[in-house]
Amino acid sequence: MARLPLITPDIHFDEVVDDFRAIFESGRLTSGPYVRRFEETVATMINMPHAIAVTSATTAMHLALAAGDVGPGDEVLVSDFTYPATANVVHFVGAKPVLVDCTEGRFDMDPTDARAKLTSRTKAILFVDPFGQPARHAELKALATEHGLLLIEDAACALGASRDGQPCGSDVDFSCFSFHPRKIVTTGEGGIVACRNEEHAARMLRLRNHGGVAGEAGIEFIEPGFNFRMCEVQAAIGLPQLGRFDGIMSRRRELARWYLEALEGAAGLHIPLAAEVDECTFQSFVVMLEDDINRLEITRTLLSQDIETTLGTYSVHAHPAFASYGYKPGDLPQSWRNQRQSLTLPLAYWMSREDVQRAVDALQAAIASQRSQA
Ligand SMILES: *Cc1c(COP(=O)(O)O)cnc(C)c1O
């Protein structure tokens, strides 16, 4: 029986070989026509006028904060249940990450907790669409509008997700996407930062490229910047996947539906799903185990049967990296429980209905065995 992985990148060498040859023969490896085509394609998909290709979602968020003038003295409300990159970038622009707990029983940012943590120094809200499920955008946007805050969306997993008929990443000041191999579309490493505002876009374009702007007498360096440029080979890897994006998405949703059916009435777990199946990307298919179940032990048991699982994601406040901001593990209880009890199941595009059933049967057996020994 095949090993069931968390994800398999949906990439095929025969789709890219001609483009690779063309890039090699042109000698133009850094940003050029492939990167521009990649940017235009994503901009259209997410209905944003500006999409700027960068090296990762992490550098996308870094550019957004820099272009939004977020820095020392500012506070940013950040989803606590996320990959630590979301909070790291706030730290590295010199602002203070103020971590916000999850909505009870769910994975997304709780707007009530966000409101409670507002201060006169709050400058922005940086919220996550967890695993490609749309966050509570309307409430967060209302909060941002009421207090004049920048609204930044960590849509790392949410290319193809939607809310109220609008793509995730569209109705915010900045949205940031990832093309890491664990995401829906991959370029190896890569990201996009999108925005609506012309000045923000111009600033991010120059900050991506050392702060320089081309003029008649060569490049003029307007302000200190970064090198966050995507290269041609990365864009050439991603473009064919964007070309068949609808197929990639409907395949993930079909697998998710099979999981939802197979898990109906399952013992020892529930499935926090914040929206309809067709509004989510299922970058990860994540269940919550009940508190008496030891997640690490489940993961070990399933791995012995060649079934890969892992935690959903991290409760950032509970990690030593953020202790200097005064957090102790458990301070944000919903997120802390999510880190301990969430379980990502295998979801690779090539899996069959039988593969899904095999993962579910093995999970149910592992839960039953733990409970019988308790
Ligand atoms: C994957 C991920 C990131 C980091 O993306 P990179 O492209 O690897 O920098 C950030 N936030 C979330 C929510 C993610 O899932």
Side-chain angles (χ1 to χ4, degrees), residues 247-260:
I248 290 176
M249 202 46 50
S250 55
R251 184 70 191 128
R252 294 197 77 73
R253 288 175 180 149
E254 179 174 42
L255 286 155
R257 281 198 183 86
W258 289 345
Y259 265 123
L260 289 168

Side-chain angles (χ1 to χ4, degrees), residues 20-141:
F20 277 19
R21 182 169 290 113
I23 292 166
F24 276 54
E25 285 172 357
S26 77
R28 169 147 206 173
L29 292 168
T30 188
S31 303
Y34 283 89
V35 169
R36 275 196 293 281
R37 199 139 47 84
F38 188 77
E39 291 174 331
E40 287 161 12
T41 309
V42 173
T44 304
M45 288 170 72
I46 59 171
N47 192 20
M48 282 290 253
H50 308 285
I52 296 168
V54 291
T55 51
S56 66
T58 307
T59 53
M61 291 188 280
H62 200 145
L63 269 194
L65 292 168
D69 270 327
V70 177
D74 296 329
E75 295 178 358
V76 179
L77 298 168
V78 182
S79 296
D80 186 60
F81 188 56
T82 182
Y83 203 70
T86 320
N88 286 342
V89 287
V90 174
H91 172 86
F92 278 116
V93 296
K96 178 181 173 188
V98 175
L99 299 165
V100 180
D101 208 352
C102 299
T103 301
E104 189 173 353
R106 287 172 41 163
F107 298 134
D108 56 350
M109 181 188 275
D110 177 6
T112 307
D113 193 42
R115 189 176 285 274
K117 288 172 174 167
L118 271 172
T119 74
S120 58
R121 291 177 297 280
T122 308
K123 177 89 177 247
I125 303 175
L126 174 46
F127 71 96
V128 175
D129 299 311
F131 318 118
Q133 298 184 23
R136 293 167 68 179
H137 165 267
E139 286 150 280
L140 296 172
K141 181 165 180 180

Side-chain angles (χ1 to χ4, degrees), residues 216-293:
E216 275 170 27
I219 298 176
E220 186 173 23
F221 294 94
I222 310 290
E223 62 180 324
F226 311 98
N227 174 1
F228 286 165
R229 296 185 306 261
M230 180 182 272
C231 82
E232 289 289 84
V233 176
Q234 289 169 299
I237 295 171
L239 276 164
Q241 295 164 70
L242 295 182
R244 52 186 169 76
F245 187 79
D246 290 348
I248 290 176
M249 202 46 50
S250 55
R251 184 70 191 128
R252 294 197 77 73
R253 288 175 180 149
E254 179 174 42
L255 286 155
R257 281 198 183 86
W258 289 345
Y259 265 123
L260 289 168
E261 284 177 35
L263 285 165
E264 209 173 299
L269 60 86
H270 73 278
I271 307 165
L273 199 55
E276 300 296 323
V277 167
D278 285 337
E279 294 174 314
C280 302
T281 67
F282 299 96
Q283 177 269 338
S284 294
F285 188 91
V286 186
V287 303
M288 278 294 284
L289 301 173
E290 284 169 14
D291 287 329
D292 62 308
I293 312 282

